[in-house]
Amino acid sequence: QVQLVESGGGLVQAGGSLKLSCAASGSIFRINNMGWYRRAPGKQRDVVATITSGGATNYADSVKGRFTISRDNAKNTVYLQMNSLKPEDTAVYYCNAEVVAPSTLGGYWGQGTQVTVSS
């Protein structure tokens, strides 16, 4: 079974920075797309940033220029560097990975990590 574990969330003041990490473990041949999503209370889960296995990235307009997604394929890990944080960035951040495992290809989610930005 594949598992994703996020880390790096916390409480930060507006204008500060955090770096989130998500490590995948289990029976993995390779990981295709990876991404970060977030959900604020009472709202839907929205994409924050995605990255392909080749390194191509996409960002939500609300975070472009402030957040950077990257990955370390040797470690099966994806990162989200968040700078110039705003109170509206407050949410639970979830990692997603498209994992090629023995006889399967599926999408997996981590449990999420809370990011709270105070004004």
Side-chain angles (χ1 to χ4, degrees), residues 16-100:
S17 298
L18 286 172
K19 187 173 183 177
L20 306 182
S21 299
C22 172
S25 62
S27 183
I28 300 171
F29 287 154
R30 69 177 187 272
I31 302 176
N32 293 332
N33 299 323
M34 303 185 80
W36 287 96
Y37 299 73
R38 66 186 182 186
R39 180 163 54 205
K43 298 183 178 180
Q44 69 177 19
R45 183 171 59 195
D46 295 325
V47 62
V48 176
T50 60
I51 185 168
T52 69
S53 60
T57 59
N58 273 301
Y59 297 91
D61 289 341
S62 60
V63 307
K64 192 172 184 178
R66 300 188 297 120
F67 292 9
T68 302
I69 188 171
S70 61
R71 63 191 288 170
D72 185 336
N73 291 332
K75 297 180 179 179
N76 290 331
T77 299
V78 63
Y79 306 93
L80 185 68
Q81 177 67 51
M82 304 184 293
N83 298 326
S84 301
L85 283 162
K86 304 175 181 179
E88 51 262 44
D89 294 319
T90 296
V92 177
Y93 284 71
Y94 298 90
C95 172
N96 175 267
E98 295 179 344
V99 178
V100 180

Side-chain angles (χ1 to χ4, degrees), residues 97-118:
E98 295 179 344
V99 178
V100 180
S103 77
T104 63
L105 169 65
Y108 293 85
W109 292 94
Q111 295 183 6
T113 184
Q114 177 70 49
V115 172
T116 302
V117 185
S118 62

